[in-house]
Each structure stands twice: as structure tokens, then as C-alpha cells.
Amino acid sequence: MLVARRIRSLLLAALTITALVAPDMEPASAATEAEQRFHRKINRARVNRGLRRLHLSSRLSNIAREHSRGMASRRRMYHHSCLRCELRSFSWRIAGENVGVGYTVRQIHRRMMRSRAHRYNILRRGYRRVGIGTIRAGDKLYVTQIFLG
């Protein structure tokens, strides 16, 4: 009982510190399973190369999810016409975006890692946060990844 209370207190303290230090890095509890899987794959690729993990931002994920929703409704892939406009409320120095479509998280992530430009975004050193938005339309999965540093 005492151990459980202590663990709960430590977790609450960690969440409080995270909220105070990085208000746009909310817990990824609202993230879909596919978004969480992309996040794990991105961080695994980074850690395997000695890079820091990226925090999953709920606010960025909402922007990414809206973009993926637009791509799914049009049944085509495209980049934000003005990503900078979408990021006005964020503090950032560098930003990047990956978009993709396929059938599974694994397939899309593998394709991104084989693409020089997509891999560059996934492995860029200056990034600290990522937003991931996925939308399934029929058998296709649309994804948008927004990176900020």
C-alpha cells in the first residue's frame, strides 16, 4: 500500500513538472493506437542512432490529424500549404513535416526510412517534439508527422 502511494506521488510530481516546463507536451493519452505506434517507431530509430527521443505533443498531433483528415477526404497526399501559419502559437526554431499513405504503420514507416528527405526529418538532431496524426479511410492509412525544435 505504501509503495503504491509513493509511486502515485512520484508520477503526479513528474506530470506536474512536465506541465510546468512544457505546456504543449501533453500526455499522449488521446493519441490513436496507430499514432502511438508511429511515435514508438520514430523514437526507436532515433535511439538506435544515439539521438534523443521526441516528445509527442497533443497540440501538434491535433494539427497533424486535421491535415491527415483533409488528405483522406481528398484521397491524395500533399504537404501543408502554410505549415508556418499553423505553427504560429508554438515556440520553435526549426520545423519539418512528413506525409504518407499506405496500409500499415510498419509499411509507411519503412518507406519513410528509405526516403532520404523523410528519414532526415525523423533523425534530425534539433527536433524535440513531434505531432502525429493518422486517419484511416477504407483500407488506407494517411499520416502526417510534424517535427519541431
Side-chain angles (χ1 to χ4, degrees), residues 2 73-74 88 111 125:
L2 181 63
S73 71
R74 291 171 184 82
R88 278 184 291 217
R111 284 182 188 164
R125 286 188 182 278

Side-chain angles (χ1 to χ4, degrees), residues 103-141:
Y103 298 99
T104 66
V105 170
R106 182 179 183 198
Q107 175 197 45
I108 298 168
H109 181 74
R110 280 185 171 189
R111 284 182 188 164
M112 286 185 177
M113 291 304 289
R114 289 185 194 131
S115 157
R116 190 171 161 181
H118 291 94
R119 186 176 58 250
Y120 177 78
N121 274 335
I122 290 169
L123 300 177
R124 188 163 181 184
R125 286 188 182 278
Y127 293 139
R128 295 182 182 273
R129 297 172 279 181
V130 64
I132 303 166
T134 62
I135 296 292
R136 185 158 295 279
D139 60 346
K140 297 230 175 131
L141 181 66

Side-chain angles (χ1 to χ4, degrees), residues 16-28:
T16 303
I17 290 168
T18 301
L20 291 172
V21 173
D24 68 320
M25 289 184 217
E26 299 164 9

